[in-house]
Amino acid sequence: MEADETRQPFNTEAYAAAALAQGKTLDTVQSELSKRLQQTQRTLFSLINQRYEDFLGLSTSLTGIDTTIDELRAPLTTVKHEIHEVSNELQTKLEYMDSRLAYRAQLREKKQVLRLFLDLEQLLNRVGVVLKEAEAAKDLEHVTCLERAAVDVSQIRYFARKGSEYPYVVAAQQRIQHIEESLLTALEQSLRPALEKFLEQCTTQNDMDPQARQTAGTEETVHLIAQTLRAYSTVEETERAEDIMRTALVRPTVSHVLGTQSGRGMGLEPEKFASMLRSVLQFAKSTCVPLVKSIESHLAGSNGSTGDKLAVRVVWRELSSCIMEHLPLVFVPGMPERFHKNYREACVFVSEFSHMFSLSNDSLMVDPVYVEFSRKWQLSAYFSIQKKHVIAVLEDFERGKLLNAARGSESNGTRPSTPASKPQVEQDVLQIKHREGLLTEHAARAVWAIQQCWASNVYLEALAAKFWQLTMQILLWYQQTASQCVQQLIQSNASKSSVQALESHELDELLHHMHDMFAMREVAMEQTRAICRVVPGTDNGTCGISAGLESAVGQALAPLDDTSNKAADHISSTITAPSTTTLASHLRRTTSQFRHTNRPSPSTPSPYISSLFAYLESTESKITHDQATSERIKHMLRSRVATRVSQEFARVCADALATISKTEASLLRLRKSRGSNVRVDVGDVVVPSGVDLRGKVPEADNDKIRRQIWLDVDQVARIVRGYGVETDPEFARFVDLIQPFGI
């Protein structure tokens, strides 16, 4: 075992960590290490003794090794020296070869620079000759020479950039600049007259269709313009060419059309603005579209990109810039109605322009001038004006209501005035009330405000999100206002007596609010579906966005359920209060009716039963609105009144029956205490000994009373079932309990 331990490698770190973990002291560690050392020595001695011959062979096997080493040292030293000599020789040759290769590379580079100088000089000389040839040439030949010069100038620019650090190129910069200016001047002198000629040709031939113009002499002009543009593109000066096209082709006509309007667009009539835009579109259609299409056909390999670029960068940018320059005040919503119409006309203008040039979806939208043109329209200010108008109508109504309430106008049912409202608004609200069947000003004005947001003369597609947010705020206003009105009406009506409360104006107003809260849901949902037909991306109200909008409206109006329930609870309690407070007196009259009267057993309900729901019926007679909403309100009131009446009626009847049972039980105990043959007077009826008072005694006064109560309870249950509602659960159990009284 000890030998196995000593054969294992000794790990100092592992041993120290184990000793530290075990909490060993230094003396203990020293003792363990001493024991291990002794074990190792004993193992070594034992191993030497066991293999002693091998131990001695370790020294004998090394005999003569010194002599062998001395014999090999001399030749190895010689080989080493030879290797060093060869290595030094090879290193010298490699360094020489590297120097020659570097010199060769320098020669090649200088040769390339020399070739650059020669090519540059050749190009400069050649382009000068070509420009002189262009001066002597005319029309297409002139443009062809300029196009050749443009190719050379493009190469000159490349060589100049490549050798910009060399003195020769620096010295030639002035010459290069002069050639470039000469070329650009020649190109402009070629492009501008060609554009003016094309414009003149189109102007003098307005009665001819575009195809006829192509065959009437404009083909050569278009070809000249296309070649000139290609030359501009070769020297990477397309922006300069586009600027020339804007000023020479587009600006004169557009400035003439838009410059006829004085006042910089202030108070510009929408019809006049639309006429201007149509004139501009007509110019673009008759002049710019044929030119762009023809240039695109002449420039092979453009794949439509050249046409899009010319339509956007030349035609659109100049059109929109002229509108912003000549009519800056048309973008200001000082007159909201005109601003709305002008903006709609501008949207139609943009759409027709895009369709006219067959532009892709994003080629126009990403143009910075289009972005600036869209931002120029002060849509946020326009929305603020419309929002203030809507809120003012609602707030003015609230202020007028408070003012009239202070003067006592609410007490006689007069409608609150709206001092800041316009007659047209009042007329629109009145029409909405009649059309939608609404009864309160709050609901009618909320519907007017929502319809105002999405009216064709107010709504703008770019403001769809903001108008929807305003719609949700209007719904929230109506929900909160209706809740406050209902709460105030309940508090006012609660302070009156039961009869006054039933005939009060507050009760009628509560019924009106209940009707409008139900009607408002339908109107709001229908309006939401109408909104989905105009909001972009809703796919005519059939996609998930439509469902989301309707869900948002439902959530906004959800608190109206609690308000409706509060109104219904108050009305039902007002209806049941006069009937239920007299139930106890009616039961007492029923008891006295069959005591000591010798009346026959009853067979019909008491007359007062028919009057228990008289106030409910009189209240329902006031609900004469649309059938669906009226039936819903009636059902709410019937359910609550039935529950309250049946619950209270069951309680009063149970108390009366309990009183009768207690009386019988007392008499029965009295009879038993006096003997079994004693006759006891029970309610003026002599009950012989041995008769079970819990059995049926048809002619007994108490049984007559019980039967009358059962007839009354059964009649109440029939009336409630006739209303199509359920009674209170306690009442149903009470009916089952007293069922034996009806047998």
Side-chain angles (χ1 to χ4, degrees):
M1 184 67 179
E2 293 179 357
D4 294 338
E5 292 180 356
T6 55
R7 290 193 181 98
Q8 298 297 329
F10 182 74
N11 191 328
T12 306
E13 295 180 357
Y15 178 81
L20 181 62
Q22 296 175 4
K24 295 180 180 180
T25 61
L26 291 176
D27 295 337
T28 303
V29 172
Q30 182 180 8
S31 175
E32 290 181 355
L33 292 176
S34 299
K35 291 180 180 180
R36 186 176 181 87
L37 177 61
Q38 294 175 3
Q39 292 174 358
T40 303
Q41 290 176 349
R42 287 195 298 270
T43 302
L44 179 61
F45 292 153
S46 174
L47 184 61
I48 292 174
N49 292 332
Q50 292 176 1
R51 304 179 63 180
Y52 187 70
E53 294 181 357
D54 295 337
F55 176 72
L56 294 178
L58 291 175
S59 59
T60 57
S61 61
L62 298 177
T63 303
I65 191 66
D66 296 338
T67 304
T68 303
I69 292 174
D70 292 337
E71 292 175 355
L72 293 175
R73 180 177 287 111
L76 290 176
T77 303
T78 303
V79 171
K80 179 179 179 181
H81 287 303
E82 292 177 354
I83 291 173
H84 281 298
E85 291 176 358
V86 172
S87 175
N88 293 333
E89 184 179 357
L90 290 175
Q91 184 67 29
T92 302
K93 292 181 178 181
L94 287 174
E95 292 176 354
Y96 176 75
M97 291 179 64
D98 289 340
S99 63
R100 300 303 299 172
L101 290 174
Y103 177 71
R104 185 177 180 180
Q106 292 177 0
L107 291 179
R108 286 180 176 177
E109 182 178 355
K110 292 180 179 179
K111 183 179 179 180
Q112 291 178 356
V113 173
L114 182 60
R115 173 62 61 184
L116 184 147
F117 294 160
L118 293 175
D119 291 342
L120 181 59
E121 182 66 23
Q122 182 181 0
L123 288 171
L124 291 173
N125 294 331
R126 187 171 66 186
V127 75
V129 174
V130 173
L131 289 175
K132 290 181 179 179
E133 293 178 359
E135 293 177 358
K138 296 181 179 179
D139 297 335
L140 290 177
E141 185 180 354
H142 172 74
V143 176
T144 302
C145 293
L146 293 180
E147 193 172 1
R148 288 167 48 200
V151 175
D152 292 341
V153 169
S154 178
Q155 294 181 353
I156 290 173
R157 287 180 173 180
Y158 169 75
F159 289 138
R161 288 193 300 268
K162 190 174 181 180
S164 58
E165 71 275 9
Y166 298 108
Y168 172 79
V169 177
V170 175
Q173 285 294 334
Q174 186 174 0
R175 184 181 177 189
I176 294 172
Q177 185 176 0
H178 175 72
I179 291 175
E180 290 179 350
E181 292 176 354
S182 299
L183 174 62
L184 294 176
T185 301
L187 288 173
E188 182 177 356
Q189 292 175 352
S190 175
L191 179 60
R192 190 177 293 276
L195 292 171
E196 293 174 352
K197 181 179 180 181
F198 179 82
L199 181 60
E200 182 181 357
Q201 291 172 346
C202 293
T203 303
T204 57
Q205 300 173 5
N206 283 332
D207 296 334
M208 302 178 63
D209 56 28
Q211 184 64 30
R213 293 192 197 104
Q214 292 293 330
T215 59
T218 59
E219 179 66 27
E220 182 179 354
T221 305
V222 171
H223 185 58
L224 189 149
I225 295 173
Q227 279 192 292
T228 307
L229 292 178
R230 185 159 48 202
Y232 270 108
S233 177
T234 302
V235 294
E236 300 178 354
E237 293 289 346
T238 54
E239 292 185 0
R240 185 189 293 264
E242 292 168 357
D243 183 66
I244 294 173
M245 293 184 70
R246 287 194 294 267
T247 56
L249 179 67
V250 184
R251 182 174 299 175
T253 303
V254 178
S255 297
H256 175 72
V257 172
L258 300 178
T260 58
Q261 175 63 30
S262 60
R264 300 173 64 81
M266 177 179 291
L268 179 61
E269 292 290 343
E271 294 76 12
K272 179 66 174 178
F273 185 61
S275 176
M276 290 180 176
L277 295 182
R278 284 193 296 269
S279 300
V280 171
L281 285 175
Q282 182 61 32
F283 160 74
K285 182 179 180 180
S286 62
T287 304
C288 300
V289 172
L291 178 62
V292 170
K293 298 298 182 183
S294 300
I295 291 175
E296 188 175 4
S297 64
H298 281 82
L299 299 179
S302 61
N303 295 326
S305 61
T306 301
D308 288 354
K309 290 179 180 179
L310 289 176
V312 175
R313 296 183 181 181
V314 176
V315 184
W316 165 255
R317 288 186 179 180
E318 189 60 30
L319 294 180
S320 57
S321 298
C322 287
I323 294 174
M324 290 186 287
E325 177 183 353
H326 292 282
L327 305 173
L329 298 181
V330 78
F331 301 94
V332 180
M335 300 179 180
E337 294 182 359
R338 292 185 179 182
F339 176 86
H340 177 272
K341 293 180 180 179
N342 289 334
Y343 178 79
R344 295 291 294 270
E345 292 295 338
C347 292
V348 173
F349 167 73
V350 173
S351 177
E352 292 184 0
F353 178 87
S354 180
H355 178 72
M356 184 182 300
F357 287 93
S358 301
L359 298 177
S360 58
N361 293 332
D362 56 347
S363 59
L364 183 61
M365 303 303 176
V366 300
D367 183 67
V369 178
Y370 174 82
V371 175
E372 178 63 22
F373 180 78
S374 301
R375 189 184 296 114
K376 198 78 173 177
W377 293 94
Q378 300 180 19
L379 295 177
S380 297
Y382 168 77
F383 174 76
S384 299
I385 293 174
Q386 296 294 348
K387 181 179 180 180
K388 289 179 180 178
H389 173 59
V390 170
I391 294 177
V393 172
L394 300 179
E395 290 182 346
D396 290 345
F397 168 70
E398 287 298 317
R399 285 194 292 267
K401 179 182 175 183
L402 294 176
L403 180 61
N404 289 337
R407 295 174 179 175
S409 62
E410 282 291 314
S411 61
N412 55 17
T414 59
R415 189 172 62 86
S417 63
T418 53
S421 300
K422 296 180 180 180
Q424 183 61 41
V425 173
E426 295 301 315
Q427 184 178 356
D428 293 342
V429 172
L430 186 61
Q431 291 178 354
I432 289 174
K433 289 182 68 175
H434 291 302
R435 184 177 65 249
E436 304 295 343
L438 300 175
L439 304 175
T440 62
E441 282 285 323
H442 297 89
R445 289 181 179 273
V447 174
W448 173 87
I450 294 174
Q451 293 181 353
Q452 182 72 10
C453 292
W454 304 97
S456 59
N457 61 341
V458 174
Y459 167 72
L460 292 175
E461 186 176 301
L463 297 173
K466 291 188 176 182
F467 276 115
W468 175 252
Q469 184 179 10
L470 180 57
T471 299
M472 299 304 295
Q473 293 175 353
I474 294 170
L475 292 176
L476 180 62
W477 171 85
Y478 171 73
Q479 179 264 317
Q480 294 176 347
T481 305
S483 178
Q484 293 175 359
C485 289
V486 168
Q487 186 65 29
Q488 292 173 0
L489 291 172
I490 290 175
Q491 293 177 355
S492 176
N493 204 37
S495 61
K496 300 179 180 180
S497 64
S498 57
V499 177
Q500 290 178 342
L502 286 170
E503 301 297 331
S504 66
H505 169 71
E506 286 81 358
L507 188 67
D508 296 338
E509 287 294 322
L510 285 174
L511 291 173
H512 293 170
H513 278 289
M514 287 186 65
H515 172 273
D516 284 1
M517 282 186 283
F518 289 129
M520 191 65 180
R521 297 175 184 274
E522 300 299 329
V523 174
M525 287 301 176
E526 181 61 31
Q527 187 64 36
T528 302
R529 287 186 284 270
I531 291 172
C532 292
R533 291 191 286 269
V534 299
V535 172
T538 55
D539 193 19
N540 293 328
T542 59
C543 66
I545 298 178
S546 174
L549 296 182
E550 293 184 8
S551 176
V553 171
Q555 292 178 1
L557 297 179
L560 292 179
D561 290 337
D562 294 337
T563 305
S564 300
N565 290 330
K566 290 180 181 179
D569 290 339
H570 174 76
I571 295 173
S572 61
S573 63
T574 303
I575 292 173
T576 57
S579 301
T580 55
T581 53
T582 59
L583 284 178
S585 61
H586 285 306
L587 263 295
R588 287 194 295 271
R589 282 196 293 272
T590 299
T591 302
S592 62
Q593 190 176 15
F594 291 99
R595 290 280 176 86
H596 309 288
T597 59
N598 199 22
R599 285 175 176 264
S601 180
S603 59
T604 59
S606 300
Y608 75 89
I609 296 300
S610 60
S611 64
L612 287 178
F613 298 93
Y615 292 114
L616 174 62
E617 295 176 357
S618 64
T619 303
E620 289 183 352
S621 64
K622 301 177 181 180
I623 307 174
T624 57
H625 321 302
D626 59 284
Q627 184 176 359
T629 306
S630 298
E631 289 299 324
R632 187 172 182 180
I633 297 175
K634 289 179 181 180
H635 182 78
M636 291 182 65
L637 297 180
R638 288 171 181 176
S639 177
R640 285 168 169 77
V641 170
T643 299
R644 293 174 181 271
V645 171
S646 60
Q647 184 181 30
E648 183 64 19
F649 192 64
R651 185 188 65 79
V652 174
C653 291
D655 291 343
L657 292 175
T659 302
I660 295 173
S661 298
K662 289 179 181 179
T663 303
E664 288 181 342
S666 298
L667 293 174
L668 182 61
R669 287 195 299 272
L670 180 60
R671 190 192 64 185
K672 288 182 179 180
S673 65
R674 296 184 178 181
S676 59
N677 294 324
V678 178
R679 298 169 64 86
V680 182
D681 185 8
V682 181
D684 295 334
V685 178
V686 179
V687 181
S689 176
V691 175
D692 188 358
L693 293 180
R694 291 171 296 178
K696 180 179 179 183
V697 184
E699 300 302 326
D701 290 350
N702 288 344
D703 286 343
K704 294 177 183 179
I705 297 172
R706 289 189 178 98
R707 181 171 178 79
Q708 184 64 63
I709 291 175
W710 179 84
L711 290 172
D712 295 344
V713 170
D714 182 66
Q715 182 64 16
V716 170
R718 292 175 185 272
I719 294 175
V720 171
R721 286 195 298 270
Y723 284 137
V725 295
E726 299 293 334
T727 59
D728 183 69
E730 292 295 332
F731 180 83
R733 286 192 290 270
F734 180 72
V735 171
D736 294 336
L737 182 64
I738 66 171
Q739 187 67 31
F741 297 154
I743 300 175

